[in-house]
Amino acid sequence: DMGLTAGMEQDIVWRIEKAGYNVMFEPTAAVYISMREDFKKYIKQAYSRQRGGMIIRFKHPDKITSHYLFSMLYLPIIIIVTPILFFLFNIKLFIYLVMIVSILPIGYYLIRMLKGRRHIKKTTDMIFILIIGYIWFVSVCLGILRGCFDILKYKEKLMSMSEENRTVR
């Protein structure tokens, strides 16, 4: 699908599965990745992947997981609910609720880190991972929100064999 901005590989895998074929894991396959040069590029990549990933989830709604749904709804709920809470409750309760909602992603990452605790030895590493995870999570949420708007102008562009042959020659 040439209309996608990211996740073409995932789209192909899910199309193959929908066609009735099995996709297998090959442990000896060589995979080449390029590491991001700095943190800013890492966050930008997370944003763009989720922005494009929203279109893929739109094409394959059966692949939406609870994790993805939480990421998709987190920021809109905060943006909509926060002003309502401010007007409905006193300022002290409002501040407490905002603090609780703001640290939900940190709780999520704490639970995930407990599962992999044997790999994380130092407390400072854990704190660093929580901070990185929180920034990553917010950028992912923003990418998903932007992807929701991109769906409105998305058009699937499949490459046919005749188009492919014309561009090669």
Side-chain angles (χ1 to χ4, degrees):
D1 182 352
M2 302 305 289
L4 295 174
T5 57
M8 290 92 163
E9 303 89 352
Q10 189 66 59
D11 183 49
I12 290 170
V13 167
W14 287 344
R15 285 176 187 244
I16 290 169
E17 288 176 346
K18 279 184 182 176
Y21 295 96
N22 291 325
V23 178
M24 307 291 281
F25 173 71
E26 176 53 53
T28 61
V31 178
Y32 299 95
I33 61 168
S34 59
M35 301 302 287
R36 299 297 159 238
E37 296 168 13
D38 57 23
F39 183 65
K40 184 178 177 182
K41 289 181 181 179
Y42 170 73
I43 294 300
K44 188 175 180 180
Q45 178 191 23
Y47 171 84
S48 63
R49 280 189 177 172
Q50 294 307 315
R51 181 179 173 190
M54 191 63 215
I55 293 173
I56 295 170
R57 295 302 199 287
F58 172 74
K59 289 177 64 174
H60 306 278
D62 55 315
K63 300 295 184 179
I64 295 178
T65 62
S66 58
H67 169 74
Y68 201 81
L69 196 59
F70 175 74
S71 300
M72 189 167 53
L73 296 175
Y74 181 74
L75 281 180
I77 288 173
I78 288 177
I79 292 167
I80 293 168
V81 172
T82 303
I84 293 170
L85 292 175
F86 180 73
F87 290 112
L88 291 179
F89 300 106
N90 64 27
I91 191 73
K92 198 175 199 178
L93 183 59
F94 167 74
I95 291 171
Y96 290 140
L97 290 172
V98 168
M99 286 171 44
I100 289 169
V101 168
S102 299
I103 62 169
L104 276 176
I106 292 175
Y108 170 77
Y109 281 102
L110 274 173
I111 292 168
R112 288 187 66 182
M113 283 194 320
L114 287 175
K115 292 179 182 178
R117 181 75 173 132
R118 65 180 180 269
H119 303 293
I120 304 169
K121 304 293 184 209
K122 298 179 186 172
T123 305
T124 53
D125 291 345
M126 184 180 279
I127 292 169
F128 184 70
I129 290 169
L130 284 174
I131 292 168
I132 299 280
Y134 189 81
I135 295 168
W136 177 86
F137 180 78
V138 170
S139 68
V140 162
C141 291
L142 291 172
I144 289 172
L145 281 178
R146 177 64 193 269
C148 290
F149 292 106
D150 290 349
I151 287 172
L152 301 174
K153 56 186 175 182
Y154 163 75
K155 289 193 170 103
E156 186 172 296
K157 299 175 198 167
L158 295 177
M159 216 165 60
S160 69
M161 290 303 283
S162 59
E163 289 175 329
E164 188 177 308
N165 290 337
R166 277 187 285 205
T167 58
V168 171
R169 292 179 186 170

